[in-house]
Amino acid sequence: MVSEADGDYIAREGDAAMTDNADQIAEWNGPMGDRWAQMQADLDALTRPFGNAALAAAKVVSGEAVIDVGCGCGDTTFEIARAVGANGSVLGVDVSRPMLVSAEARRQREGVANLKFVEADASAAPLPSNLDLLFSRFGVMFFEDPFPAFKHMSKSLKPGGRLAFVCWRAARENPWATVPIGAARAAMGVPAPQMDPYAPSPFAFADETRTRRILEEAGFTDVTFTPFDHTVRLGANAADGAEGSIRFGPAGRFIREMGEGAIVQVLPAMTEALKPFENADGCAPPGATWIVTAKAG
Ligand SMILES: C[S@@+](CC[C@H](N)C(=O)[O-])C[C@H]1O[C@@H](n2cnc3c(N)ncnc32)[C@H](O)[C@@H]1O
């Protein structure tokens, strides 16, 4: 749990609970944030290939000032801090207290001086200005209304400043997410509900046309979308992968909604469905993302 001492180290900005993102903030600040913080090492290993592709596109150089939006436990924030060096700085912004506590503990352990974490809703909180880069690894798809959110964040960049983030492409291109939950739903006899494809979710930025519009309406230019595909290692084998996908994937939410007893009912079906994705390295279905870059106008 968060202690008073933790609160001293992580700055807080704005009143996050008053924004339209209150539902997402509550999610990431509650049990989901706790789970992500607990599983940080596994999740970092799983998402690092995608984050590395985004970092390569971001072309961070020494001396730059950067914000890492939705930085979570800070894996990419530390990487950026290393790249900008002592003359640069990076601010990790997130709404999840449990994840920030973990990030700040690492910052202190490693004595990283050019890095700060702030607990804030990036779409509304005051942000530093004149930045070189806005970066994010899977942290920008959770705004209730991304149009004003990106307008707000774009103001923190200097003219010609850069945006670089990685987001998931469509769910149908991401069997790591759809196969386990599809098997779980089938095992429970529950059909998939109609979803608003643009509601805050990992897949909210899948539609290139709409995401481009969000960025261009925020004043960004030179917007590029580059597909980047990589396997998503869910576990050591199909059974382990099924359990992993319950801990952090969309299947977990479905099973929690069904009641914890549902796990026994769905695990065999999920394991069976993941068997085709077993290889010598573990259970690793394909993952499909966009690496998005743009310039501040
Ligand atoms: C999928 S996680 C990614 C975390 C981290 N970037 C990583 O790759 O490990 C999404 C992150 O976005 C954060 N987030 C969601 N809404 C946010 C908002 N309005 N402002 C700042 N962060 C937000 C969540 O708390 C969570 O840490």
Side-chain angles (χ1 to χ4, degrees), residues 10-287:
I10 301 164
R12 258 162 276 160
E13 297 271 356
D15 187 350
M18 295 304 287
T19 72
D20 286 336
N21 294 319
D23 286 353
Q24 282 296 318
I25 293 169
E27 283 264 329
W28 288 103
N29 222 0
M32 183 151 79
D34 288 332
R35 271 198 308 281
W36 272 67
Q38 281 156 16
M39 297 178 60
Q40 178 186 358
D42 288 344
L43 290 169
D44 284 343
L46 185 156
T47 49
R48 209 166 272 149
F50 302 100
N52 286 346
L55 284 169
K59 298 190 173 71
V60 185
V61 297
S62 169
E64 288 194 315
V66 182
I67 286 189
D68 188 0
V69 179
C71 63
C73 299
D75 193 42
T76 50
T77 331
F78 285 94
E79 197 50 42
I80 294 167
R82 196 193 50 72
V84 297
N87 294 328
S89 64
V90 53
L91 178 69
V93 181
D94 205 287
V95 292
S96 173
R97 182 140 255 271
M99 292 165 85
L100 288 170
V101 165
S102 160
E104 175 59 19
R106 176 176 168 193
R107 194 192 70 75
Q108 290 186 33
R109 236 180 9 253
E110 297 182 7
V112 182
N114 62 345
L115 159 55
K116 265 196 204 147
F117 292 105
V118 64
E119 182 183 345
D121 177 349
S123 72
L127 298 172
S129 54
N130 220 24
L131 297 174
D132 297 289
L133 172 69
L134 275 177
F135 178 85
S136 185
R137 180 176 85 181
F138 299 128
V140 291
M141 305 89 87
F142 303 96
F143 303 120
E144 192 62 40
D145 188 347
F147 285 88
F150 271 86
K151 248 178 218 152
H152 173 73
M153 293 190 298
S154 71
K155 291 187 192 124
S156 64
L157 285 171
K158 66 185 186 193
R162 306 172 329 273
L163 171 72
F165 64 80
V166 57
C167 60
W168 297 106
R169 299 208 306 276
R172 64 178 175 282
E173 295 183 77
N174 281 286
W176 67 270
T178 54
V179 166
I181 192 169
R185 286 189 178 283
M188 298 295 290
V190 177
Q194 284 295 327
M195 303 278 282
D196 172 359
Y198 303 140
S201 91
F203 302 105
F205 273 28
D207 177 348
E208 176 184 347
T209 307
R210 187 214 184 220
T211 305
R212 181 181 291 280
R213 198 156 63 77
I214 292 168
L215 301 183
E216 289 180 347
E217 286 191 16
F220 286 101
T221 62
D222 301 2
V223 181
T224 70
F225 285 74
T226 308
F228 177 80
D229 296 354
H230 194 280
T231 51
V232 176
R233 189 178 182 280
L234 295 175
N237 51 42
D240 193 35
E243 286 185 19
S245 69
I246 290 172
R247 285 197 298 276
F248 62 79
R253 173 191 292 257
F254 169 69
I255 289 162
R256 281 185 290 281
E257 280 166 7
M258 292 287 112
E260 289 299 323
I263 290 186
V264 189
Q265 218 171 318
V266 300
L267 258 184
M270 293 173 72
T271 302
E272 202 50 41
L274 285 171
K275 283 223 165 108
F277 302 106
E278 278 183 329
N279 60 32
D281 184 39
C283 173

